[in-house]
Amino acid sequence: MTRNFDRDMLREAFSIFGPLLGIATVVGPILGGFLVDVAGWRFRFLINIALGIAVFVAAVRVLPTGQGERSTVIDVRGSGLLALTMLAWIFGLIEGSTDGRGALAITSLAVGTLAFALLCRRQTSAADPLRRASLLKNRGFTSGLAMGLVYFAVVSGPM
């Protein structure tokens, strides 16, 4: 029962995510250009406040309430290593693009890579890893991840 439930949830999540991704690809730039044209470029920062409030209100109304699953354990070390990996890589890439590939940028990227290696090792040995290894055996999930990676690399790269 649990296996089918996970598969059904995954199928439902991707069936919602795919069309919304397509809609966002088409409507986002058009709506963004319209808002910048009408209200100015500074408005694009303020719109996030209104959208954040609207999404929070919708989440409070739509998402289920309750105690949740108390048996869920969060891998604090894995979460910390993931946060360090992302922070170091993003900082290194940003710093490197603005000031050239200096020592700070290279050190940051090296720290991020080391943290990622430690994270990968942690995920194989943790009692409750951040993600189950069996999840990557699901062809639909892995192909969805690959497509998402390609999509965001293409769409976000030129910005």
Side-chain angles (χ1 to χ4, degrees), residues 88-109:
W89 277 350
I90 291 170
F91 179 78
L93 291 172
I94 292 171
E95 187 69 21
S97 69
T98 57
D99 293 336
R101 303 287 182 240
L104 182 60
I106 302 241
T107 302
S108 181
L109 292 171

Side-chain angles (χ1 to χ4, degrees), residues 41-100:
W41 67 269
R42 288 182 175 95
F43 181 72
R44 71 180 181 167
F45 297 108
L46 295 176
I47 192 96
N48 290 327
I49 295 170
L51 288 173
I53 292 170
V55 167
F56 180 78
V57 169
V60 168
R61 291 185 177 171
V62 172
L63 294 176
T65 59
Q67 297 299 317
E69 182 63 42
R70 293 290 181 197
S71 64
T72 302
V73 178
I74 296 175
D75 180 18
V76 176
R77 283 188 196 156
S79 298
L81 287 168
L82 178 61
L84 178 61
T85 299
M86 293 289 95
L87 177 69
W89 277 350
I90 291 170
F91 179 78
L93 291 172
I94 292 171
E95 187 69 21
S97 69
T98 57
D99 293 336

